[in-house]
Amino acid sequence: MRRMVGAFDRGRILNPQAARSQLLGGMTMGLGMALSEAGHVDPRMALVVNGDLGEYLVPVQADVPRIEVLFVGEPDPSTAPLGIKSVGEIGITGVAAAIANAVYNATGRRLRDLPLDLRAS
């Protein structure tokens, strides 16, 4: 991946820097979910069998492409008196699906398990 762009309707943004950072973090989590994070569970015992967190790969700064965050929409007085909406981890929503669709468009193979791996599907 070379670039990620996320457009979010979060109403009135009270702290643009904090909101942007929260959404960047969510998008980075989505990238990890799609491409590297793999928690392995023993189906017989329902126990996590990853030896330690060293085996659980998460993206670091060198793995993350240029990310652009856009705020769209207007204050929404029906959600709160100030027209705000929570930012939370909404940035993670849809990232893995978008990457899976990009893989499908590039390869013609529909991958349905995360992390995405052409060898397993």
Side-chain angles (χ1 to χ4, degrees), residues 8-116:
F8 303 92
D9 179 3
R10 305 314 311 146
R12 176 177 289 142
I13 302 296
L14 300 179
N15 185 334
Q17 184 175 356
R20 180 180 179 279
S21 293
Q22 187 74 24
L23 294 167
L24 284 171
M27 292 173 71
T28 302
M29 289 170 61
L31 178 69
M33 178 193 308
L35 300 179
S36 64
E37 295 177 31
H40 300 287
V41 177
D42 180 348
R44 297 168 297 151
M45 304 290 287
L47 296 172
V48 176
V49 293
N50 288 62
D52 55 39
L53 289 176
E55 295 177 12
Y56 191 85
L57 302 176
V58 295
V60 297
Q61 185 174 0
D63 301 324
V64 179
R66 184 170 63 96
I67 300 177
E68 188 176 345
V69 173
L70 306 171
F71 296 113
V72 298
E74 298 178 3
D76 186 355
S78 67
T79 60
L82 292 175
I84 60 176
K85 299 177 185 176
S86 68
V87 175
E89 293 183 3
I90 194 74
I92 196 172
T93 306
V95 174
I99 294 171
N101 282 332
V103 169
Y104 173 72
N105 289 333
T107 66
R109 291 189 62 189
R110 179 67 67 190
L111 304 178
R112 299 188 186 278
D113 297 315
L114 297 175
L116 302 172

